[in-house]
């Protein structure tokens, strides 16, 4: 970890290899209707008239394959490739693809030097990846290089500068309150073992090293245009949903999993859906886009 603090790419590999086998559980990732609808919703939001299906798609910084595999299940692409700097994440993503019966290959890849030929893909996607890449403009140049002429990229789930500020503060406050209150009386049964809390704290410390950028929608539009993309457009989402989601996820990480049953799951998911409705139908109309937590960006190769 000490070496990783001065080598961001080493930090990326260390953190994501460390998290690979438990990442789906940590972020409630699944490959069923819930996450299929979520992934497809991100594409439809930024490219509502996409000419589906695309032939071959690639996910940059695939993690466990959440974005591409769920998009493929919704009919967005016929075949796919998963890439990540973390060997552990590529391994899990390929395992997930095999379990779903999807036509997917994978490679360990540096986003600033993607190991595929020019004009290979019809679509490149990514979710919560650009903020990990040291040189985002160079990565977008590489994305455009491997896209076929007229091919499109879609990146979603990038943290906004203001959104990241309030999300981190809410998460820290929730962690402090939960881990301190569960030291006392009957609440002690809600306290995770100290070694597990220490492990989570170490992971959080490394996570702060690998999250190296935040963006405004205009920032990402400028980077995409500078990289050579055309038809560049951005969007943002999740304000009320983020203000609920981040404390909920932090609380889940701080208490024993067996304490949280279906009732909690219904509350968390139902609450997120209600807050998303509020964002989409009310707040999007009155709040400037830079206040929302997630930024989406799309562009086309000339």
């Amino acid at each position: 970890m000490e070496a990783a603090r001065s080598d961001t790419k080493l930090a990326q590999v260390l953190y994501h290899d460390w998290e690979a086998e438990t990442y789906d559980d940590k972020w409630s990732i699944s490959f069923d209707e819930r996450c299929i609808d979520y992934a497809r919703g991100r594409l439809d939001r930024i490219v509502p008239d996409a000419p589906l299906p695309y032939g071959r798609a690639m996910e940059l910084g695939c993690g466990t394959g959440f974005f591409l595999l769920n998009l493929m299940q919704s009919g967005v692409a016929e075949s796919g490739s998963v890439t990540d700097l973390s060997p552990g994440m590529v391994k899990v993503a390929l395992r997930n693809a095999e379990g779903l019966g999807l036509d997917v290959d994978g490679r360990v890849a540096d986003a600033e030097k993607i190991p595929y030929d020019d004009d290979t893909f019809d679509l490149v996607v990514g979710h919560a990846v650009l903020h990990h890449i040291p040189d985002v403009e160079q990565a977008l140049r590489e994305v455009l290089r491997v896209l076929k002429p007229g091919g499109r990229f879609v990146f979603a789930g990038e943290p906004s500068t203001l959104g990241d500020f309030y999300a981190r503060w809410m998460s820290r406050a929730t962690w402090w309150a939960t881990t301190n209150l569960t030291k006392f009386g009957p609440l002690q049964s809600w306290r995770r073992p100290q070694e597990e809390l220490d492990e989570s704290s170490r992971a959080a410390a490394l996570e702060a090293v690998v999250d190296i950028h935040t963006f405004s929608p205009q920032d990402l539009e400028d980077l995409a245009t500078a990289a050579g993309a055309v038809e560049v457009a951005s969007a943002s989402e999740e304000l009320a949903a983020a203000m609920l989601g981040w404390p909920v996820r932090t609380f889940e990480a701080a208490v024993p999993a067996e304490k949280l049953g279906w009732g909690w799951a219904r509350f968390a998911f139902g609450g997120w859906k209600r807050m998303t409705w509020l964002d989409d139908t009310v707040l999007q109309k009155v709040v400037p886009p830079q206040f929302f937590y997630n930024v989406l960006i799309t562009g086309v190769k000339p």
Side-chain angles (χ1 to χ4, degrees):
M1 285 183 63
E2 288 304 315
R5 293 183 193 281
S6 59
D7 183 340
T8 185
K9 291 186 180 179
L10 173 61
Q12 302 293 344
V13 173
L14 177 60
Y15 173 74
H16 289 99
D17 275 358
W18 186 356
E19 294 275 277
E21 294 293 338
T22 58
Y23 200 71
D24 286 347
D25 288 337
K26 175 181 178 180
W27 293 104
S28 299
I29 290 171
S30 61
F31 299 93
D32 53 15
E33 183 178 357
R34 177 178 64 91
C35 282
I36 292 170
D37 289 347
Y38 178 84
R40 181 60 181 271
R42 312 288 64 73
L43 180 75
D44 291 345
R45 185 181 190 89
I46 194 76
V47 195
D49 56 351
L52 304 179
Y54 290 92
R56 188 178 181 190
M58 181 190 79
E59 183 170 7
L60 190 71
C62 63
T64 62
F66 156 73
F67 202 34
L68 179 60
L69 302 188
N70 280 313
L71 286 174
M72 290 179 68
Q73 289 192 96
S74 77
V76 166
E78 296 169 346
S79 64
S81 300
V82 290
T83 66
D84 201 291
L85 192 62
S86 160
M89 287 294 191
V90 174
K91 175 185 175 182
V92 174
L94 288 174
R95 186 172 69 210
N96 286 337
E98 182 180 9
L100 296 167
L102 297 174
D103 181 11
V104 174
D105 64 75
R107 297 183 188 179
V108 176
D110 186 330
E112 296 171 12
K113 192 175 181 180
I114 299 171
Y116 286 95
D117 293 336
D118 297 1
D119 306 334
T120 297
F121 298 101
D122 302 287
L123 175 70
V124 173
V125 300
H127 190 276
V129 58
L130 297 180
H131 68 286
H132 291 310
I133 301 170
D135 191 338
V136 176
E137 184 179 328
Q138 172 58 23
L140 291 174
R141 290 183 187 279
E142 279 290 282
V143 166
L144 291 169
R145 179 184 64 78
V146 300
L147 278 170
K148 297 175 182 177
R152 179 178 291 276
F153 64 78
V154 174
F155 290 96
E158 297 301 334
S160 71
T161 301
L162 288 172
D164 183 71
F165 174 79
Y166 61 68
R168 287 189 184 277
W169 274 106
M170 288 190 297
S171 294
R172 289 169 184 155
T174 303
W175 182 264
W176 182 90
T178 304
T179 56
N180 279 280
L181 289 173
T182 53
K183 292 179 180 178
F184 304 105
L187 292 179
Q188 286 181 315
S189 65
W190 282 77
R191 185 174 180 80
R192 288 175 60 189
Q194 188 61 44
E195 59 270 20
E196 293 183 12
L197 294 173
D198 291 343
E199 180 80 358
S200 293
S201 295
R202 286 193 292 272
L206 194 53
E207 187 174 14
V209 177
V210 301
D211 291 347
I212 58 179
H213 300 294
T214 58
F215 308 98
S216 71
Q218 189 62 52
D219 290 338
L220 283 178
E221 287 189 29
D222 292 344
L223 285 164
T225 301
V230 296
E231 300 180 36
V232 173
S234 66
S236 60
E237 58 185 5
E238 293 198 16
L239 176 53
M243 289 186 173
L244 173 69
W246 280 100
V248 163
R249 283 190 288 266
T250 303
F251 178 75
E252 290 172 346
V255 302
E258 62 270 15
K259 291 290 188 179
L260 305 174
W262 282 109
W264 173 264
R266 286 194 297 271
F267 155 74
F269 185 54
W272 178 83
K273 289 182 70 175
R274 288 189 288 273
M275 293 301 99
T276 297
W277 178 90
L278 177 64
D279 288 335
D280 291 344
T281 59
V282 179
L283 299 182
Q284 287 279 356
K285 299 175 182 177
V286 296
V287 179
Q290 62 268 27
F291 284 87
F292 289 78
Y293 180 77
N294 282 329
V295 184
L296 303 85
I297 187 73
T298 188
V300 170
K301 179 174 181 174

